[in-house]
Amino acid sequence: MKTGRILLFQFFTFLLIFGIISVSAQAQEVPTFTLEELVQQAKANSPAALRAKTIKENSYWQFRQFRADYNPQLRLTGTLPAYNQSFSSITQPDGSIRYQEVNQNLIDVGLGLQQVIAPTGGIISVNTSTSRFDNFISNPNQPQTQFLGTPINVRLQQPIFAYNPFKWDKKIAPLIFEESKREYVQELENVSALVTELFFNFLTAQVNVEIATKNLKNSEDIYAIEKKRYEVGMTFEDELLQIELQSLQAKQDLAQAKLDLESSSLAVNSYIGLNQSTEIKLLSPTEIPDFDVDVEQALDLAFKNRAEALGFDRRKLQAESEVARAKGQRFDATLNASYGTNNTASNWADVYGNPNTQALVNLGISVPILDWGRSKARMAQAMANQQLVDYTVQQEMVNFEQEIFTKVKNFLMIRERLNVTKLADEVAERRYDISLNRYQTGNVDITNLNIAQNEKDSNKRAFYASLRDFWVAYYELRSLTLYDFEKEELLYVPESD
């Protein structure tokens, strides 16, 4: 019985120790990222992505404000109260001045519904208001309190032959908002390209550590072989010293590779929002997506999807609106009209009993008779600027097409080069393994082995450089077209009206 208890106690002790070891191992497990996972992490947490998101939100609220300007505005105005107790100088009919005591109060409240007339640039409003005036030192034969009310009043303010900002804003503001949404997607793809650069900086440093570690082990093994050969007189001392120097150099290379890896790790962690002391490991994206990119399709997608393409039209509209503004400043006329009812009484209820008609119509004009050519110069400047914008946009459209064409051709060339460097890396690796085996059997000298090792290392680095160029070009192509050629889907779909 006692033996059974001891065995049971030992069993539970073993489970406890095993659990602690397992938890400790899990706590020390190094997080591993693929390129796609790191890109998603950067899009969610990087300062550049958060900045792009904030700019997008700011543009959204600017657009909301623009749309609100075209909706009816209900406004409450008033003075609650305006009390005045003082002495005022009153000029008498004979020119003398008499100082009159003032002790009065004014309260007024108004409510108005205002609407912009976008096609004409006018403003129409429906208003109602009431006010109360108290004269606390009025004469006995005068009422102390008086009321003034406007039960209803309709007003129209209509500029004539003037620049209509509402008309042009309605054309331009939606384009600016649409640009901002597309710029956000483009910025995220630029984040993807940047984090890809950081990813491959880290991955290259990681590969260099692996290369340096393997080279150090091989150098130490070769030194041990040469030392035995030297002891039996099969090699010379200078060759042994040369190999010893190579071993020492391999140690330095490993130390430098580890330092570069640490520096690259800090850069990646900082960018994607991880703690800088967090140790991570990256997996090489050797699986290359297989898809075709047609230049004409890429150009068509770029002009349909890119923010710059919308910007071309928007800038032309803005230049056209400035011409319209210059035309509108040559002649200024405004029609003001109002119609309604109002009344005054000593009792508030009597104001609304039998109100009187209130009407007002006036047309104000301002026409420069002699402005010394200001209007002409302003108009000529606006038209010259419009022409300049047209020429600039035409040139930028040509540059835009050339950029797309160059990027697509560059991407296709990089993909072809990647296949070649991948094959060269495999051949160089196999050649080095064969040379190392032949060296160990005495069929290859140290010089040829060193050549094979250098070719192995250079081809390995060339492969990862090509891999970097491919993925950076891949995300640049996505940014330029806002299209995922691998999945054959748009990265941004405009919302339907």
Side-chain angles (χ1 to χ4, degrees), residues 134-151:
D134 295 298
N135 188 359
F136 298 112
I137 54 175
S138 62
N139 296 326
N141 58 346
Q142 293 180 342
Q144 179 177 338
T145 302
Q146 290 180 295
F147 291 91
L148 174 66
T150 302

Side-chain angles (χ1 to χ4, degrees), residues 329-348:
Q329 291 175 344
R330 295 183 301 179
F331 179 82
D332 186 13
T334 303
L335 173 66
N336 293 292
S338 67
Y339 183 84
T341 59
N342 72 340
N343 200 5
T344 181
S346 57
N347 192 333
W348 183 78

Side-chain angles (χ1 to χ4, degrees), residues 2-58:
K2 185 176 181 180
T3 303
R5 289 179 179 178
I6 293 174
L7 290 174
L8 185 62
F9 174 79
Q10 291 177 342
F11 175 75
F12 281 112
T13 302
F14 171 78
L15 288 179
L16 179 61
I17 295 173
F18 179 79
I20 293 174
I21 293 174
S22 299
V23 171
S24 177
Q26 292 177 1
Q28 296 177 358
E29 185 177 353
V30 177
T32 303
F33 291 94
T34 63
L35 175 59
E36 184 177 359
E37 290 171 345
L38 203 67
V39 165
Q40 294 304 320
Q41 181 84 4
K43 284 183 176 180
N45 300 318
S46 70
L50 296 177
R51 176 179 175 274
K53 183 179 180 181
T54 303
I55 293 175
K56 178 189 175 186
E57 290 177 354
N58 187 34

